[in-house]
Amino acid sequence: MNLFYHFGSYFVLMAKVFKRPEKASIYMRQIIVEMDNLGLKSIGIVAIISVFMGAVVTIQTVFNIDNPFMPVYAVGYTTRQSIILEFSPTIISLVLAGKVGSRISSEIGTMRVTEQVDALEIMGINSAGYLILPKVVASMIINPVLIIISMLLGILGGWFAAVFGGILPEAHYIIGILLEFSFYDITYALIKTIVFAFLIATISGYFGYNTKGGALEVGQSSTKAVVFSSIFIILFNLILTQILLA
Amino acid sequence: MISVKNLYKSFEGNSVLKNVSVTFEKGKTNLVIGQSGSGKTVLMKCLVGLVEADKGQILYDDLDFANLSFSERKVIRKNLGMLFQGGALFDSLNVEENIIFPLDMFTNMTKDEKIERANFCLKRVNLENVNKLFPAELSGGMKKRVAIARAIANNPEYLFCDEPNSGLDPKTAIVIDNLISEITKEYNMTTIINTHDMNSVMEIGDKVAFIHLGELWWEGDRNAILETDNKELNNFIYASELMRKLKKES
């Protein structure tokens, strides 16, 4: 019953969020601010994780392919496909669910318990729209950029591991990276990213907006936001993969 | 003027407001007093539409707030100012941006006009040179004053104050009380203040309504309150040693 209640409340909130904004220029300004807060300030963590993820994928692939009939350039190919299709869009989105999701939820939750959300309502402002919509739009714009950066850095990380680790000749790695490249793989990854960005921003916004109580409840909302965002990312990863690749 | 008629509100079967009928007059500071948990805050939240009443009418002049559509309510809300217990200033905005916020949303004023209005409001609450400070850098009294400045930025017809003195020292509390009273008269607003501070009642209470256990038990002005024979109200007024002493002396 509780689950149905949350589903219903989520869709009721979304109906409020996507109402026509009071003043478009204010919302536009907020979107820019949120792109900085949620996106640009996440570049560091995305970069670090991507480089090391690419390096580890390359090393593991090298040591797991010991068949003499398997061409060496398969390492580059496998690294590229793993990073583009799964690691960057899904793993980085899970990381962003933790970083960005908890930020969104705790920010809105704190505003709720300190009556700042009520203050917006009293002014005649659609608080759900003003607080959540810019975050949703900003995430859906900036997350694909982060994921493209992640893909490039992941492949670069693999190159570092191959060349400086001395486990694979550079030329073989590059041949593998360029082999049978399909642009649809990027499209697939970006579609997933945009859906995940929507889920992270709306689910975290939902838990933050419905916070009741004090500091303890803000923390609980934040935890729920991360947990449920992650679960829905995994669920939609399966659904989208089935739809887009099957 | 705001009239409340036969208002009821309950939460999960627990009655918080029972048949409350009271009128708040224009150009006066109307105080709602009562013990913690008596239903004052719920009444105020019903008045501003943050909580929906179960039954009864809330009339803003002649408009029944409960029966208005979302967009009609929005028109009334643009004429509301509210001072929350903790100030409820937006943490991410500085003082000037906090005051300008409602102007940004609902007016077509130029940037210079908005800054001029913010400076005027800050001057009116006796605060200057704090424009660029953030709420975290302000004292409790300053936060309340900035919140008042934000509440009056849009020239509201109705001002709601929820425990404006909570957390303030007695001297600052009187400054805030007098400021609200002066602004009320100056702009001819309908001001409603929730409080349990008897100093406020005696200082600025043009009209006082006493709520007890969710019901209106008494209403009158600050002079009549000391002569009432209402038992529950007397228990509330003379709860402190100081008030009992003053009563004895008089």
Side-chain angles (χ1 to χ4, degrees):
Chain A
M1 277 309 280
N2 203 22
L3 193 67
F4 288 120
Y5 168 80
H6 281 293
F7 266 113
S9 302
Y10 172 82
F11 286 111
V12 168
L13 180 68
M14 287 309 109
K16 266 183 91 181
V17 168
F18 291 100
K19 267 190 180 160
R20 198 163 69 89
E22 285 87 5
K23 208 167 186 180
S25 59
I26 304 279
Y27 276 65
M28 287 302 292
R29 196 174 66 192
Q30 275 305 107
I31 289 170
I32 306 292
V33 170
E34 297 300 351
M35 279 167 72
D36 178 38
N37 286 339
L38 306 179
L40 299 183
K41 286 180 181 157
S42 304
I43 283 182
I45 183 92
V46 168
I48 292 168
I49 291 172
S50 302
V51 169
F52 282 92
M53 197 168 62
V56 170
V57 170
T58 302
I59 294 167
Q60 283 186 350
T61 310
V62 167
F63 289 106
N64 281 291
I65 296 178
D66 54 0
N67 188 331
F69 295 105
M70 186 75 87
V72 184
Y73 59 72
V75 174
Y77 177 80
T78 308
T79 301
R80 185 197 75 201
Q81 291 301 86
S82 306
I83 285 172
I84 290 178
L85 293 176
E86 202 53 36
F87 281 100
S88 282
T90 308
I91 303 297
I92 295 298
S93 289
L94 285 170
V95 170
L96 290 174
K99 185 184 179 290
V100 173
S102 62
R103 185 198 161 104
I104 291 173
S105 177
S106 56
E107 181 188 325
I108 298 175
T110 304
M111 288 185 77
R112 170 62 82 189
V113 300
T114 55
E115 297 180 309
Q116 293 175 52
V117 174
D118 289 344
L120 285 169
E121 287 288 328
I122 298 289
M123 287 177 196
I125 294 164
N126 171 10
S127 60
Y130 176 75
L131 293 174
I132 301 175
L133 185 60
K135 290 175 173 58
V136 175
V137 176
S139 294
M140 290 170 77
I141 294 171
I142 203 74
N143 282 20
V145 177
L146 291 175
I147 297 307
I148 288 172
I149 292 171
S150 165
M151 288 172 185
L152 295 172
L153 290 175
I155 290 169
L156 192 70
W159 177 81
F160 269 113
V163 175
F164 295 104
I167 54 173
L168 191 72
E170 183 184 10
H172 287 262
Y173 182 77
I174 291 172
I175 289 168
I177 290 293
L178 299 174
L179 187 71
E180 289 179 18
F181 176 74
S182 162
F183 197 77
Y184 182 73
D185 293 344
I186 303 280
T187 309
Y188 158 78
L190 294 184
I191 290 171
K192 283 207 303 187
T193 303
I194 291 168
V195 173
F196 296 161
F198 178 85
L199 291 171
I200 293 168
T202 55
I203 292 171
S204 306
Y206 168 76
F207 281 107
Y209 195 81
N210 288 299
T211 304
K212 285 189 184 94
L216 183 69
E217 285 77 10
V218 171
Q220 285 170 348
S221 293
S222 193
T223 306
K224 280 183 196 167
V226 175
V227 170
F228 281 94
S229 298
S230 303
I231 290 170
F232 279 91
I233 285 173
I234 299 294
L235 182 68
F236 273 78
N237 188 32
L238 176 66
I239 295 168
L240 289 170
T241 303
Q242 184 65 28
I243 293 170
L244 297 169
L245 291 187
Chain B
M1 190 173 78
I2 300 173
S3 300
V4 177
K5 290 181 181 170
N6 312 110
L7 202 72
Y8 288 84
K9 178 67 193 173
S10 60
F11 294 101
E12 291 164 3
N14 179 27
S15 281
V16 180
L17 293 177
K18 297 168 215 161
N19 198 22
V20 174
S21 296
V22 61
T23 300
F24 301 111
E25 293 165 38
K26 196 178 173 81
K28 288 188 176 178
T29 44
N30 301 274
L31 270 66
V32 179
I33 59 170
Q35 291 176 346
S36 300
S38 59
K40 303 187 298 288
T41 301
V42 174
L43 174 63
M44 186 167 278
K45 286 190 172 177
C46 286
L47 291 177
V48 296
L50 287 175
V51 169
E52 291 297 325
D54 296 336
K55 218 164 65 174
Q57 284 184 310
I58 297 164
L59 301 169
Y60 278 77
D61 294 323
D62 291 327
L63 292 170
D64 186 357
F65 193 72
N67 292 331
L68 297 179
S69 67
F70 181 78
S71 52
E72 286 168 327
R73 278 187 180 197
K74 230 171 159 178
V75 177
I76 289 185
R77 279 186 167 159
K78 283 176 196 169
N79 282 318
L80 297 186
M82 184 153 179
L83 171 60
F84 287 88
Q85 209 169 336
L89 297 174
F90 303 126
D91 296 326
S92 56
L93 306 180
N94 65 30
V95 166
E96 188 177 278
E97 289 164 341
N98 260 287
I99 298 168
I100 281 175
F101 187 82
L103 305 175
D104 265 343
M105 275 289 182
F106 300 115
T107 71
N108 292 318
M109 291 163 84
T110 63
K111 196 180 174 195
D112 287 343
E113 286 171 335
K114 284 184 267 190
I115 291 172
E116 199 181 319
R117 178 71 187 157
N119 286 333
F120 171 80
C121 294
L122 282 172
K123 204 171 171 187
R124 188 63 200 81
V125 297
N126 305 319
L127 273 180
E128 283 176 271
N129 303 321
V130 295
N131 297 41
K132 301 299 170 196
L133 295 181
F134 280 85
E137 298 170 291
L138 303 174
S139 68
M142 286 164 92
K143 274 183 194 166
K144 293 272 163 86
R145 287 196 226 184
V146 175
I148 295 172
R150 184 178 68 181
I152 62 169
N154 238 352
N155 280 324
E157 285 180 51
Y158 312 97
L159 180 65
F160 295 87
C161 308
D162 189 15
E163 316 250 356
N165 295 338
S166 68
L168 299 181
D169 64 89
K171 206 173 165 186
T172 311
I174 289 170
V175 171
I176 297 290
D177 281 341
N178 288 331
L179 187 59
I180 294 170
S181 177
E182 283 165 28
I183 288 169
T184 301
K185 306 271 184 303
E186 201 174 312
Y187 299 106
N188 197 28
M189 293 188 292
T190 306
T191 297
I192 301 169
I193 302 172
N194 269 355
T195 187
H196 38 59
D197 182 355
M198 280 311 292
N199 286 335
S200 300
V201 174
M202 299 319 294
E203 197 78 31
I204 59 166
D206 294 331
K207 178 170 183 178
V208 184
F210 174 61
I211 305 260
H212 182 64
L213 300 173
E215 289 178 76
L216 182 75
W217 279 54
W218 184 89
E219 58 181 317
D221 63 25
R222 65 182 155 203
N223 298 320
I225 202 168
L226 295 176
E227 286 152 23
T228 178
D229 55 0
N230 185 308
K231 192 180 160 224
E232 293 300 334
L233 179 56
N234 277 326
N235 284 345
F236 175 76
I237 299 171
Y238 301 109
S240 75
E241 186 64 36
L242 179 67
M243 288 301 286
R244 283 198 294 272
K245 224 175 193 176
L246 286 175
K247 192 185 182 188
K248 255 184 204 168
E249 283 170 11
S250 66

